């Protein structure tokens, strides 16, 4: 089955810096890769996703890149703000069958003013 | 987007008892899932709730411990049976349409004493 690894587990940056979180996956059948943000005590919320037919996707300060050959994908947050502080999870899913999401271990991002 | 209502939001239960968690989606969805999230940890998939048939369980989870129902396309329940303190966790319901993003309920914080 699918296995998703995520690094780093914690990331501290200064406000205005960029943050990069990396994930690798094992199952070549996976073709959908979402990123979720989870604030303390809240449900995970989708912030951006990418499908395997695309190499990069941007949404304002957030971007995701995908390297299918190497089976890794990354989240890039530019101009970080204190409200970006949260736990971020990557996930992988096939677009066949049950389309279940397998999550990475999470990255706790702390943005200091 | 789908709105998911999950209840109860929290509960404190005696060991040896069972708790049923309900999940209601505001629209018909193809897939519903149940996850467990230990404090400070990632989301682990318990099972895929199949409409009108037995759920599909992930390795390490069994029907006797976590019976799941899904009588229609918008509703599912997860029961945590014969609870022990190790079952203390957050349980999350999720739904996903075909090739669309996954949404999450607000979670049920379970404490077993």
């Amino acid at each position: 089955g699918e296995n998703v690894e995520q690094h780093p587990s914690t990331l501290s940056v200064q406000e205005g810096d960029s943050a990069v979180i990396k994930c690798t996956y094992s199952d070549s059948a996976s073709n959908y890769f979402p990123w979720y943000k989870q604030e303390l005590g809240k449900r995970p919320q989708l912030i951006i996703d990418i499908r395997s037919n695309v190499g990069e996707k941007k949404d304002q300060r957030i971007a995701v890149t995908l390297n299918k050959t190497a089976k890794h994908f990354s989240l890039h947050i530019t101009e970080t703000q204190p409200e970006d502080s949260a736990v971020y999870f990557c996930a992988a899913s096939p677009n066949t069958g049950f389309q279940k999401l397998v999550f990475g271990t999470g990255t706790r991002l702390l943005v200091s003013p | 987007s789908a709105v998911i209502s999950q209840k109860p939001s929290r509960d404190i239960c005696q060991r040896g008892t069972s708790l049923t968690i309900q999940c209601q989606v505001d629209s018909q969805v193809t897939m519903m899932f149940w996850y467990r999230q230990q404090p400070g940890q990632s989301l682990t998939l318990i099972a895929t709730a199949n409409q009108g048939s037995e759920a599909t369980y992930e390795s390490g989870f069994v029907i006797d411990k976590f019976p799941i129902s899904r009588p229609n396309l918008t509703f599912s329940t997860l029961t945590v049976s014969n609870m022990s303190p190790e079952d203390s966790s957050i349980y999350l319901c999720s739904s996903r349409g075909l090739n669309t993003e996954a949404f999450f309920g607000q979670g049920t914080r379970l404490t077993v004493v």
Side-chain angles (χ1 to χ4, degrees):
Chain A
E2 178 64 275
N3 181 53
V4 179
E5 296 187 355
Q6 183 172 347
H7 300 279
S9 57
T10 58
L11 180 59
S12 294
V13 300
Q14 292 292 122
E15 182 177 2
D17 288 350
S18 295
V20 180
I21 303 171
K22 299 181 179 181
C23 289
T24 60
Y25 62 99
S26 61
D27 189 350
S28 57
S30 289
N31 55 8
Y32 174 66
F33 307 94
W35 286 88
Y36 284 83
K37 175 183 181 182
Q38 187 176 33
E39 297 176 336
L40 190 63
K42 302 283 185 65
R43 74 189 79 191
Q45 299 271 16
L46 180 76
I47 56 171
I48 196 168
D49 56 10
I50 191 168
R51 299 183 187 275
S52 59
N53 57 346
V54 175
E56 183 176 2
K57 183 177 179 182
K58 283 185 178 180
D59 183 3
Q60 299 183 346
R61 297 187 296 110
I62 295 173
V64 56
T65 59
L66 171 65
N67 183 326
K68 282 181 57 179
T69 303
K71 292 183 187 171
H72 66 70
F73 56 112
S74 300
L75 177 71
H76 304 253
I77 305 174
T78 59
E79 301 173 23
T80 53
Q81 302 167 2
E83 50 265 38
D84 293 330
S85 297
V87 179
Y88 291 80
F89 293 100
C90 63
S93 169
N95 265 350
T96 57
F98 292 132
Q99 302 190 6
K100 62 185 181 183
L101 293 180
V102 177
F103 284 84
T105 48
T107 297
R108 185 173 300 277
L109 174 64
L110 176 61
V111 181
S112 302
Chain B
S1 64
V3 175
I4 302 177
S5 299
Q6 186 176 336
K7 59 181 181 181
S9 58
R10 60 178 61 231
D11 207 342
I12 301 173
C13 300
Q14 296 290 324
R15 65 179 69 197
T17 63
S18 298
L19 176 71
T20 295
I21 303 167
Q22 298 182 6
C23 178
Q24 178 74 53
V25 187
D26 69 342
S27 58
Q28 294 187 346
V29 290
T30 308
M31 291 152 287
M32 294 182 74
F33 306 94
W34 287 96
Y35 288 86
R36 183 171 71 184
Q37 187 174 28
Q38 308 276 24
Q41 303 293 316
S42 183
L43 288 78
T44 300
L45 182 63
I46 297 172
T48 301
N50 301 309
Q51 190 224 342
S53 65
E54 192 171 290
T56 303
Y57 289 84
E58 298 298 308
S59 176
F61 298 96
V62 295
I63 187 171
D64 289 348
K65 178 66 176 178
F66 298 101
I68 287 171
S69 77
R70 188 178 174 191
N72 56 53
L73 287 173
T74 64
F75 185 78
S76 179
T77 66
L78 167 75
T79 299
V80 186
S81 303
N82 188 23
M83 288 183 286
S84 67
E86 293 70 38
D87 295 320
S88 297
S89 189
I90 297 172
Y91 293 85
L92 290 153
C93 169
S94 174
S95 72
R96 188 178 178 195
L98 197 60
N99 296 329
T100 65
E101 69 178 275
F103 296 92
F104 288 86
Q106 71 267 43
T108 296
R109 182 180 295 271
L110 170 62
T111 302
V112 183
V113 297

